[in-house]
Amino acid sequence: MNVEKNNGLRLLCIDGGSLFGIVPLKVLQTLKDRTGKEPHELFDLICGTGTGGILALLLGVLKVPIKECMQIYEPFGKEMFKEVFRGGKFIFSKWIMKDYSKARTENFEKKMKELIEKYSGNEELRLEDVPPQEGLTPRVFVIAQRCNCVYLFRNYEDTKDKFTAGTNKVTLWEAARATSAIPTYLNPIKIGYQTFAGSGIGYNNPAEKALTEVCRIEAWKGQTVDIIVSLGTGVISSQLEFGTSDFEKYLVALADDCDRVARDLKIQKPDLYFRFDVNQGISGFRSDAQRFINTMKMATEHYLYEPNIRARMDRVISKLCERKPKEKPKPKEKPKPKKNDIECAVCFESINQENSYTCARCKKTFHTNCIVQWVFTNSSHTCPLCRHKIEYCDKFKV
């Protein structure tokens, strides 16, 4: 068995997708049921954008259990995205989106702060307050935009581009707001003197960015990637039936972008890249929020039972479970004295005859300094082993 391969890096990448975020959660629930471990225990890096970014923060930084995350996300998603459901169909009117964006933004911030307060005790918890720890906290980043350039909010800073293309000097709710600020839905957020918005076209599937980030992390220099688990949200561009509004066009472009990245990585890294994306039963569905969520759950369950998907999941489970634990470094052994050397009975280091004292009764030999320290510490002029009177101390008036 190849130890280097088994101890390679494991990456979890989650697409953006508003209410569709229930899909990756169902896939992660399957991983939890089969491995018995939460995502923060299985992966070295968890990243996401939009909805995927929120999930990355909940699962990787706050370490919310999958079961609780499912319970949190449903009411959270319905509350945040309820305006897009009206009259039994999706409403993506530009006027409606603009009308609700300010109130929705305030509501989003309030809900995120409540979640962070619940699981950390501090609604202003910063990313730098939860640094990565091997086996406890994975590295986490979410993607946003600054001046039309990609920008990462991370819980670490040991990268070659720290403070220029990413930072950990923000709160969790600010990072969640920034990655979720999609056009016409949530307003951009100003942090310090900079304005941030959602990652947009090019990074809705964050898998490519995750591979780039691995190369920038100094602590991972020379490390190999063992597996990339990429979770889609079921938004397939060919199944979208929207009109011509800006928001509708934006959703179609995001879906096309996710598909492109997935196709490229399947070709480039077929043995490392594992994509799970429900490709039917979701994208064409139109109904109220609760019914929509229920349909997504059912479609994802059916998807995971397909023979080829089950085989893919088996391979993922095998890779995630076969990693060998890192061996703890062996403590350095003190050099053993040579056969002709004399060993001090106190410190067990070799000594020479000129700087030593030998007890008349037990015949054990000690360093002069060891005996002097023993006498001063214990106020006793006796051998540390046999308690015979030490004449050496009397002679030198210790």
Side-chain angles (χ1 to χ4, degrees):
M1 187 176 287
N2 189 324
V3 176
E4 181 180 356
K5 181 178 179 182
N6 289 342
N7 288 338
L9 301 172
R10 302 177 293 186
L11 317 182
L12 174 61
C13 311
I14 311 175
D15 292 5
S18 65
L19 265 177
F20 296 91
I22 206 73
V23 176
L25 281 174
K26 288 292 289 183
V27 177
L28 289 172
Q29 179 65 59
T30 301
L31 285 177
K32 167 64 169 63
D33 293 341
R34 295 190 57 182
T35 63
K37 294 183 178 181
E38 297 290 343
H40 71 270
E41 300 172 303
L42 289 172
F43 295 95
D44 301 296
L45 174 69
I46 301 178
C47 62
T49 181
T51 293
I54 296 173
L55 296 180
L57 294 172
L58 291 176
L59 298 170
V61 178
L62 296 178
K63 305 184 188 71
V64 180
I66 281 290
K67 187 176 181 180
E68 291 185 36
C69 207
M70 293 278 288
Q71 296 170 350
I72 290 169
Y73 191 81
E74 286 190 36
F76 179 79
K78 284 188 290 185
E79 177 68 22
M80 292 310 306
F81 300 99
K82 63 183 179 182
E83 289 85 8
V84 301
F85 295 95
R86 189 169 296 179
K89 62 179 181 179
F90 278 110
I91 298 294
F92 288 122
S93 162
K94 183 176 181 180
W95 178 84
I96 290 177
M97 290 298 171
K98 187 175 181 179
D99 184 47
Y100 281 103
S101 61
K102 182 178 179 181
R104 189 186 298 110
T105 297
E106 294 174 353
N107 192 27
F108 180 94
E109 293 179 2
K110 178 183 175 183
K111 295 290 183 183
M112 282 304 306
K113 288 180 180 180
E114 288 175 355
L115 283 176
I116 296 166
E117 173 75 24
K118 178 180 178 180
Y119 287 98
S120 72
N122 176 17
E123 68 175 29
E124 295 295 326
L125 183 72
R126 299 170 69 85
L127 286 170
E128 63 182 332
D129 296 333
V130 194
Q133 291 180 285
E134 188 173 353
L136 297 175
T137 306
R139 292 177 184 267
V140 177
F141 74 79
V142 300
I143 306 176
Q145 277 193 62
R146 181 188 65 176
C147 302
N148 294 322
C149 295
V150 66
Y151 195 86
L152 305 185
F153 294 104
R154 312 156 163 142
N155 70 335
Y156 54 94
E157 61 177 357
D158 56 334
T159 59
K160 298 177 182 178
D161 63 347
K162 61 182 177 182
F163 305 126
T164 57
T167 184
N168 64 345
K169 309 295 183 183
V170 297
T171 62
L172 263 69
W173 73 262
E174 288 174 328
R177 265 282 287 114
T179 190
S180 304
I182 59 176
T184 73
Y185 203 80
L186 287 181
N187 295 334
I189 179 174
K190 191 169 185 179
I191 304 174
Y193 297 100
Q194 302 288 338
T195 301
F196 299 90
S199 60
I201 311 302
Y203 298 99
N204 203 52
N205 181 341
E208 279 186 334
K209 191 62 182 174
L211 288 172
T212 304
E213 186 72 358
V214 167
C215 299
R216 291 176 174 170
I217 296 173
E218 296 172 357
W220 285 352
K221 187 176 181 180
Q223 283 271 61
T224 58
V225 175
D226 189 25
I227 184 172
I228 308 165
V229 178
S230 177
L231 304 182
T233 53
V235 184
I236 310 300
S237 61
S238 61
Q239 297 177 359
L240 293 171
E241 302 172 1
F242 301 133
T244 57
S245 73
D246 293 341
F247 189 72
E248 297 167 277
K249 291 178 181 178
Y250 180 77
L251 287 180
V252 174
L254 286 182
D256 281 332
D257 174 49
C258 292
D259 295 343
R260 175 193 61 78
V261 173
R263 287 194 302 269
D264 291 348
L265 287 177
K266 283 178 184 177
I267 295 172
Q268 297 170 13
K269 301 183 181 296
D271 297 327
L272 301 181
Y273 185 72
F274 295 86
R275 176 77 168 171
F276 295 92
D277 194 10
V278 180
N279 53 17
Q280 61 183 4
I282 288 182
S283 296
F285 190 78
R286 304 289 185 269
S287 186
D288 62 275
Q290 183 57 57
R291 193 175 171 192
F292 182 67
I293 288 174
N294 292 338
T295 300
M296 286 192 289
K297 288 181 178 179
M298 292 175 60
T300 307
E301 289 174 0
H302 287 304
Y303 169 79
L304 292 172
Y305 272 101
E306 293 178 9
N308 61 320
I309 302 303
R310 292 182 69 177
R312 188 181 306 165
M313 181 64 73
D314 289 341
R315 291 184 63 194
V316 170
I317 299 296
S318 176
K319 277 182 168 287
L320 291 176
C321 293
E322 71 181 0
R323 171 187 270 186
K324 289 186 176 181
K326 290 188 176 181
E327 295 182 359
K328 295 182 179 179
K330 295 181 179 179
K332 293 183 179 180
E333 296 182 0
K334 293 184 179 180
K336 294 182 179 180
K338 297 179 182 180
K339 290 183 178 180
N340 296 331
D341 287 349
I342 301 173
E343 187 177 286
C344 175
V346 173
C347 68
F348 302 106
E349 294 183 0
S350 60
I351 56 179
N352 56 55
Q353 293 288 352
E354 296 178 358
N355 186 29
S356 66
Y357 167 78
T358 303
C359 177
R361 178 186 291 175
C362 65
K363 306 300 181 183
K364 294 294 183 180
T365 304
F366 308 90
H367 282 117
T368 309
N369 292 337
C370 290
I371 287 294
V372 171
Q373 186 176 1
W374 164 262
V375 170
F376 276 113
T377 303
N378 297 277
S379 300
S380 172
H381 287 200
T382 59
C383 173
L385 300 180
C386 69
R387 305 302 181 185
H388 183 68
K389 185 178 179 181
I390 299 176
E391 297 178 0
Y392 177 89
C393 298
D394 292 335
K395 179 179 177 181
F396 287 91
K397 298 181 182 180
V398 176

